[in-house]
């Protein structure tokens, strides 16, 4: 599905080095799985589901600390009360469209029940953005087997970007959007760690798109590439942040809020119609669900966190751009077309400003 | 289903007068609908769904201000990000069990889509407590038609309590629990209003149960009425608060947090395993979803709110007790039995302390 | 200053055992110091300051995790942004009246600067309740030397209660209030710990006062003991909770919110005019301010916390009652008198209900 | 004090037009007053206080809705509990340095008491950033008369920027920082309103400084203009946002959070040592403190807020840049010098990227 990644176009975001895959999967043990539905009969599907497994094969018995920040809460991320109260994740995370959150949530539970994973009950975290411009959202395409397939497909290594999984029908800065990912290696006084990010990018107006500060959206005006309908100006972005550092929940929350910085750099302002909700988890501590004694933890001192904050900001910025450079032009529901960001023009405009 | 209401037993809670039904439906336009599933084949169902419609027939086009407070967030209430950001409800609220939140959420959306109610997308509020002691929760009994039936059944007037709707399989202070409701008439400097409450009560240990301050749970020890398994000590309570006063969202949040007072009076401490999440909405202002001009509002001055706070505390206290006095002994999943609070003994113990 | 403690009157609150002093100082290393100002010339002073030192002699170099919960935020607790962001305390806590928060805050800083304690800058936590009924609050009695004296006076062991320190001029349930303290020994699966509480109690109406569930306030009507002016119905309560358990910040927040339960049991509803703000800290972890490597922590598993929650609820309930039974009748500003809770009548009413 | 404003240098930020003064005072009735202390004997003062009066002459009797957002809470803004609970301001706001928050807070109270403004007690909002690099912060220079002078000096019209008031000793992106202001005219479906911003800018590293996306900080390396000590890399920014639109508190909070966008565009990432706390108030509704009946309000519909969000982002971005272009090179405590951003080089670099 992937056309290119922003870095392959000679455009480098920030100053920190990415990990080997420049993906959330650079955080050891983090797996990603997509299931994509694209068909035109009996109704138009341009949708799917993406799952992130915070700890491969073990999240159910070896929980990770986590927290969220809502920059603009016009969206859904289930499981948020539990995240606030306990500060950990005990299940995979999933991202899909607005009207499929329920089926995905219950499907995650059913999968865990059927596979005898975890305890007596579950409060999974499922987030969403709206794909109703390109997808017939009220056809409710997804069923639980699709979620199972995404779970079974989850793996480490390179992550498909663009028109895949939950990102299939998404639109970003009025170009075709979708899934993007990136990572940064972070050297702190506490040692070297990785910060990885995955976004489902579905927000923003064209004039506000910036690439490394360059006003690309303004330069690539409406004449250049046809704009989709103005209802596409609103939208949402879900950001999932992972790190292998031993953080505590209050620190995951700090990382989550830094996604705002990366988003703002690309041109996000948190429009009213946007559900901009950010989740961060840290695998460096191990939380056995049924611990019978004190749990031993480590914690990066707060004053070592600046490189993590910068890593999150850079990786979010790059992950959004990767969604844009990966996603291909798509025609969908009611014959609507959303065009991909033209890569040659992108390079031309950025070069002009350098 | 109802055996009795606490007030019928000669036990009066607090000093404020209840409304005509002593129910959340005393708030004009608030409707409640239950759908209850009780069967033993092909698997054991003791579950259901309860819907609260904040504004009869019009919530989709005439939104109400709302907010939530989480006393202990080990539970789910979807839609919370939107509640925090916008402070209003645009859809019915539903309460069910932990593993049916997803199907209920998507069913509410499907109902609104099919009936052409509301806008292009929905973020409904669905909350839950766990009924897996009496109900085969992993049989996932509920389907979307049950949710439709609850919506169609919704009406004003008296509200069935105890083993009905979402409360069917619930357990409270280790007696049979479920749905309870109560209301208070509130005389403030800003005029007379109604505060109504509905609870799905599924929390608490027996020794901590108090009725108007009397340690009923301690007096009615384990010998008296058999205790269910100790896994029933944890649990949850969902509280929905309604008022016809013109409050703004920040004030709905204040009311929501006062549910803690009523809960604490009955013996709740917010145990670790409990999802104690409280939602409050106020119908006194009218929010047209597509307003094209400034919206006119009224606001009860903050310093007039004390009677509302006391009304919420009293109504929550009484609604929980009504759940306990209404609910009947139930035998369910794996042959387990949870006994009803014995009414004669309750009266005897309270009398002894007076 | 102390007339009696509630337990000395034969009234036992809850089921958990108190520590040796039944005081916040039962948590090892927690010190309390009061400085009290009572004089009539040149203007009427009934005020003071109370300091709590979370870790004797070492809080500046060995920080403790902490968090707050606001049940009703009509009050001040400085330092709250830092508490939310970092989750720790690096300085003593102080409680005084509403109009002296600033001088106390800067005095704490000056003391730390002069004694070369801590770093380059400070964000201390100072809370307040209003004593303007008995104290000429706009005389701004306190100066920085009084804060120094409270710091120098801080010590472990028994804690003076009632009309002392920050609590000097306070009013609770329309009887004389002030400082109260209590503790509980908590047996959890993670081991035995202590939970200690100190309150500055200045809230509530007389009819709502309950002692172990008994409606003492209703029984001791206005005729019995003269009511102060009705402006005393509003007020505030500051609660400081300490434990030696190794909690993380998110867990301190959970403990802080449980103060609501103890407050509700005594008759608090969080009136509009009340600043009901609760702070909890945990000394079981050690946070060196300038750590150069990962910090090692321990954490009580969340599912071991129920005894802590119950301990907090009981200790808050008892600490408020201790404030009431300790405080003596006081005449102050403009010749106003606030009467102490009559101990013999208290015992009589409680006995009647048993 | 002012060298230039960014717009005078031919650099335009964003697309919305500024108000007549391009200052927070463009919001009708908003007044600003500074008091500046610069002297070398008996100790080095480079400090002061800035007050913002949300409603000239009437804030005490005609309160305004308000809310805050903490992007990184390593700082102080008193009054935040009350802001969260009530959502309004009843007093002027003040900004000063970290160790003078207390004296300023109590001085505001004393001023209101002496002038018989407002009620029986006050919970003022005082925020801070740290000026200890250029100012002998532990000399505690400010006394209450300085606060009174700032209040008396408050007025509408042009606002002094740079090294004035609370901003006197501040440092921003390792150039001399301080006070900056800007405004935007906002055309929404609900009509035309003004958004005004005032910042006390004291954060950031030089390499991260961007001006309208151009990496000015990277281009103007360390060789060019000497860097101050590396302890200046951390810092803080206080943002005060005003609008004359009739917003409710939940909407003020939404505006407050948008300050993050403007800050991120200039190069802020919310470093660990930063207290980045944002306050927004809206004068379009009128809240009489002692209202005896329902209060009439108006509310901009949420879906009309996008222009406000963009206005806040742009005005914050420009206000920070105005602080930088206004502030002059300063030598202070221990002979340290912090250099002003060189304006000609700024223009040169920006031109190069266009």
């Amino acid at each position: 599905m992937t056309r290119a990644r922003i870095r392959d176009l000679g455009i480098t975001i920030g100053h920190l080095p990415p990990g080997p895959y420049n993906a959330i999967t650079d955080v050891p043990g983090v797996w990603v799985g997509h299931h994509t539905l694209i068909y035109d009969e009996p109704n138009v599907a341009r949708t799917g589901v993406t799952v992130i497994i915070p700890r491969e094969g073990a999240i159910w018995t070896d929980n990770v600390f986590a927290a969220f920040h809502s920059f603009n809460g016009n969206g859904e991320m289930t499981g948020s009360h539990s995240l606030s109260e306990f500060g950990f994740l005990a299940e995979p995370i999933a991202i899909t469209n607005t009207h499929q959150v329920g089926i995905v949530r219950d499907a995650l539970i059913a999968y865990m029940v059927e596979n005898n994973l975890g305890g007596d009950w579950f409060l999974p975290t499922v987030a969403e953005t709206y794909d109703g411009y390109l997808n017939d959202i009220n056809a409710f395409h997804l069923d639980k087997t699709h979620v199972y397939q995404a779970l079974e497909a989850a793996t480490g290594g390179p992550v498909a970007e663009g028109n895949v999984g939950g990102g299939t029908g998404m639109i970003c800065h009025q170009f075709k959007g979708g899934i993007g990912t990136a990572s940064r290696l972070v050297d702190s006084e506490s040692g070297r760690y990785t910060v990885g990010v995955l976004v489902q990018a579905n927000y923003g107006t064209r004039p506000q798109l910036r690439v490394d500060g360059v006003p690309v959206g303004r330069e690539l005006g409406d004449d250049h590439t046809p704009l989709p309908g103005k209802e596409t100006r609103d939208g949402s972005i879900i950001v999932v942040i992972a790190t292998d550092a031993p953080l505590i929940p209050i620190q995951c929350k700090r990382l989550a809020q830094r996604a705002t910085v990366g988003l703002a750099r690309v041109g996000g302002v948190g429009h009213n119609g946007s559900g901009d909700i950010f989740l961060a988890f840290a695998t460096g501590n191990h939380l056995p669900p049924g611990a019978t004694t004190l749990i031993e933890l480590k914690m990066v001192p707060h004053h070592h966190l600046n490189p993590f904050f910068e890593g999150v900001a850079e990786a979010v910025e790059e992950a959004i751009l990767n969604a844009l450079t990966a996603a291909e032009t798509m025609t969908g529901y009611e014959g609507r077309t959303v065009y991909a960001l033209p890569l040659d023009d992108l390079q031309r405009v950025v070069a002009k400003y350098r």
Side-chain angles (χ1 to χ4, degrees), chain A:
Chain A
M1 284 279 176
T2 298
R3 294 187 297 152
R5 308 193 76 191
I6 188 76
R7 199 166 282 259
D8 302 336
L9 303 174
I11 301 169
T12 303
I13 299 300
H15 66 282
L16 295 170
Y21 300 111
N22 197 10
I24 195 172
T25 47
D26 288 325
V27 179
V30 175
W31 281 3
V32 175
H34 301 297
H35 190 76
T36 306
L37 298 180
I38 298 183
Y39 49 75
D40 292 328
E41 294 297 334
N43 35 42
V44 175
R46 300 287 186 276
T47 193
V49 60
T50 294
V51 299
I52 296 113
I53 303 186
R55 181 130 49 211
E56 63 179 271
I59 182 62
W60 356 78
T61 54
D62 185 2
N63 303 160
V64 297
F65 279 137
F68 72 90
H69 175 74
S70 173
F71 174 51
N72 195 56
N74 194 355
E76 182 61 87
M77 182 183 282
T78 67
S80 60
H81 302 282
S82 169
L83 276 169
S84 294
E85 189 73 34
F86 287 158
F88 65 72
L89 286 171
E91 299 109 354
I93 304 152
I95 322 177
T96 186
N97 83 24
T98 314
H99 288 186
Q100 294 169 170
V101 166
I103 182 74
V104 173
R105 179 191 182 275
D106 291 357
L108 286 176
I109 294 175
Y111 183 87
M112 294 183 277
V113 167
E114 291 175 24
N115 291 280
N116 204 20
L117 301 165
D120 291 334
W121 42 268
F122 302 91
L123 298 168
T125 299
V126 182
E128 56 71 44
T129 64
Y130 177 78
D131 59 15
Y133 189 78
L134 287 171
N135 176 52
D136 182 1
I137 192 170
N138 292 326
F140 302 96
H141 302 283
L142 216 65
D143 68 35
K144 83 175 183 180
T145 65
H146 303 127
V147 181
Y148 287 21
Q149 287 176 267
L151 286 163
E152 300 291 345
T155 182
V159 175
E161 296 172 295
N163 302 348
V164 291
T168 302
M170 301 302 162
I171 301 164
C172 184
H173 287 286
Q174 301 186 302
F175 291 107
K176 186 66 188 69
I179 298 292
T181 189
S183 71
R184 288 296 182 272
L185 301 178
V186 167
D187 284 307
S188 78
E189 284 184 75
S190 294
R192 167 168 280 207
Y193 297 101
T194 299
V195 170
V197 161
L198 183 143
V199 302
Q200 182 166 306
N202 188 50
Y203 75 95
T205 66
R206 187 173 297 177
Q208 287 173 314
L209 173 64
R210 292 203 177 229
V211 176
D212 193 26
V214 174
V216 168
R218 231 157 52 199
E219 294 277 335
L220 297 180
D222 310 357
D223 305 337
H224 187 279
T225 306
L227 267 181
K230 69 180 197 164
E231 64 269 49
T232 62
R233 292 181 304 187
D234 267 355
S236 300
I237 179 166
I238 297 297
V239 178
V240 178
I241 300 160
T243 182
D244 53 350
L247 305 184
I248 62 170
I250 207 172
Q251 297 179 311
C252 292
K253 194 169 186 72
R254 301 185 79 193
L255 260 60
Q257 185 160 193
R258 266 52 184 193
T260 321
V261 176
L263 175 60
R265 288 181 187 164
V266 187
V269 294
H271 278 157
N272 179 69
S274 213
D276 301 347
I277 311 178
F278 315 142
L279 176 73
F281 64 85
T283 65
N285 282 306
H286 297 265
L287 302 163
T292 56
T293 57
L294 292 177
I295 299 171
E296 308 268 346
L297 304 175
K298 292 185 194 300
M299 170 189 172
V300 177
H302 283 304
H303 55 283
H304 296 186
L305 289 179
N306 282 349
F308 293 85
F309 295 165
E310 301 196 355
V312 168
E314 290 189 10
V316 169
E317 187 178 1
E318 184 157 340
I320 297 170
L321 296 174
N322 280 336
L324 283 164
T325 56
E328 300 191 313
T329 297
M330 177 178 276
T331 300
Y333 187 50
E334 304 201 336
R336 296 169 186 144
T337 297
V338 179
Y339 291 92
L341 175 64
L343 301 183
D344 48 352
D345 292 313
L346 167 62
Q347 287 178 293
R348 182 181 48 77
V349 171
V350 170
K352 174 179 149 191
Y353 275 76
R354 288 294 141 76

